[in-house]
Amino acid sequence: MDRVALRGLKARGHHGVFPKEREEGQTFIVDLTLGIDTRAAAADDDLTKTVHYGIVAEEVVDVVQGEPVDLIETLAERIAQQCLKHAGVQEVEVVVHKPDAPITVPFDDVTITITRSRA
């Protein structure tokens, strides 16, 4: 399986369990790795035979900006399911970063990583 990766997609969302997170929102960063078969697209040099990663990126940002959820686990699942709606995507790895998580000690980042597939 071939891989198309999108790194550092940024969007503001209102996800979290605390009222301040829901009210003020924060930046979330998403990394995606799409598992697809690119042979037909490469052979014919044809965008319609692969996944249009620009459209996928827009859809992921829409999910992050959309309906708030409590957990980044839920957000990651919604992103994965959106990616799998594309016929060519057989598998997706989603990493959701929450660099401004409400943690009381110094930290660099909080992430959740999930992998989902059609199988």
Side-chain angles (χ1 to χ4, degrees):
M1 193 174 312
D2 305 317
R3 305 267 181 234
V4 172
L6 291 91
R7 301 280 182 247
L9 297 171
K10 293 180 186 175
R12 190 159 187 83
H14 293 264
H15 311 290
V17 295
F18 297 113
K20 183 177 179 182
E21 294 178 291
R22 291 293 183 105
E23 293 165 12
E24 296 179 11
Q26 59 192 294
T27 299
F28 292 84
I29 302 166
V30 178
D31 301 326
L32 298 174
T33 303
L34 308 172
I36 62 176
D37 184 345
T38 63
R39 288 176 288 194
D44 295 337
D45 198 27
D46 186 348
L47 176 61
T48 66
K49 294 182 179 180
T50 189
V51 176
H52 192 309
Y53 52 79
I55 291 173
V56 172
E58 291 171 358
E59 292 171 349
V60 168
V61 166
D62 287 345
V63 171
V64 175
Q65 293 175 338
E67 180 184 345
V69 297
D70 288 343
L71 304 176
I72 59 173
E73 292 86 343
T74 306
L75 181 59
E77 184 67 32
R78 287 184 177 179
I79 291 167
Q81 294 308 315
Q82 180 62 47
C83 292
L84 288 170
K85 288 181 181 180
H86 292 268
V89 177
Q90 298 302 307
E91 181 179 273
V92 61
E93 179 183 86
V94 177
V95 182
V96 175
H97 301 257
K98 188 175 179 181
D100 298 320
I103 297 175
T104 60
V105 296
F107 74 103
D108 289 330
D109 198 5
V110 173
T111 66
I112 176 74
T113 302
I114 66 170
T115 302
R116 298 294 182 265
S117 65
R118 294 187 180 281

